Amino acid sequence: AKRGGRGAAGRQDTPHGLRIAAIDIGTNSLHMVIVEVTPNLSFRILSSDKDLTNLGEAALVEGVLSAGAIAQTLEALGRYQRIAASLGVDVVLAYATSAVRESANGGALVEAAKARLGMAVQVISAREEAHLIYLGVRSAVDLSPVDVPRRGGAGSPRQDAALILDIGGGSAEFIV
């Protein structure tokens, strides 16, 4: 339903009235982007932030998240939550990837985020991570066929698949 007039934080509401904060809890860093849904169902970026946490530093060697890295990550998540609240965010989506997924105590971070911040963190599979990366690339890059010169002849449209490679701090996703 359309919320007219001014909403939270004195903002002009969109016809959909939706602001979303998306948080990526990665192996080396946290990223947050806050968007507002536009009338044409696109989005406008309102804010973005990044913190280096080295969450996976111990996890890659010892298979566990260090207490210090967990504390630093929770501090950054709390700051993100305050930023989101100041911008009148309606929904916070937090996703954890490789370091949390593969460490023996990754659940401790998820539980602490819920207990201390009231933030639900979803640990996603490598397959879901690759799917989300694909969707992000597809929204930012034209993946349609291009003219490719062939030996001894003119170019022709190619229907080949695209290869997308995401090299993260704790994993690499190949998406075809």
Side-chain angles (χ1 to χ4, degrees), residues 92-116:
V92 175
L93 304 172
Y95 298 98
T97 59
S98 178
V100 176
R101 177 175 63 234
E102 296 174 14
S103 52
N105 64 338
L109 173 66
V110 173
E111 291 171 9
K114 185 67 172 171
R116 295 182 196 172

Side-chain angles (χ1 to χ4, degrees), residues 75-89:
E75 183 179 315
L77 289 173
R79 189 170 64 77
Y80 288 177
Q81 195 172 52
R82 291 187 297 278
I83 292 168
S86 75
L87 292 173
V89 164

Side-chain angles (χ1 to χ4, degrees), residues 32-44:
M32 177 179 69
V33 64
I34 297 176
V35 300
E36 180 176 60
V37 177
T38 63
N40 66 353
L41 297 181
S42 183
F43 60 86
R44 180 173 62 97

Side-chain angles (χ1 to χ4, degrees), residues 130 133 162-167 171-176:
I133 291 163
L163 172 64
I164 301 166
L165 171 61
D166 175 59
I167 301 173
S171 64
E173 279 74 38
F174 294 85
I175 306 116
V176 178

Side-chain angles (χ1 to χ4, degrees), residues 45-105:
I45 296 174
L46 302 176
S47 177
S48 68
D49 212 323
K50 178 179 179 178
D51 283 276
L52 297 177
T53 60
N54 296 319
L55 182 62
E57 187 173 35
L60 295 174
V61 176
E62 301 167 14
V64 295
L65 304 173
S66 73
I70 290 174
Q72 186 177 6
T73 299
L74 290 171
E75 183 179 315
L77 289 173
R79 189 170 64 77
Y80 288 177
Q81 195 172 52
R82 291 187 297 278
I83 292 168
S86 75
L87 292 173
V89 164
D90 300 295
V91 179
V92 175
L93 304 172
Y95 298 98
T97 59
S98 178
V100 176
R101 177 175 63 234
E102 296 174 14
S103 52
N105 64 338

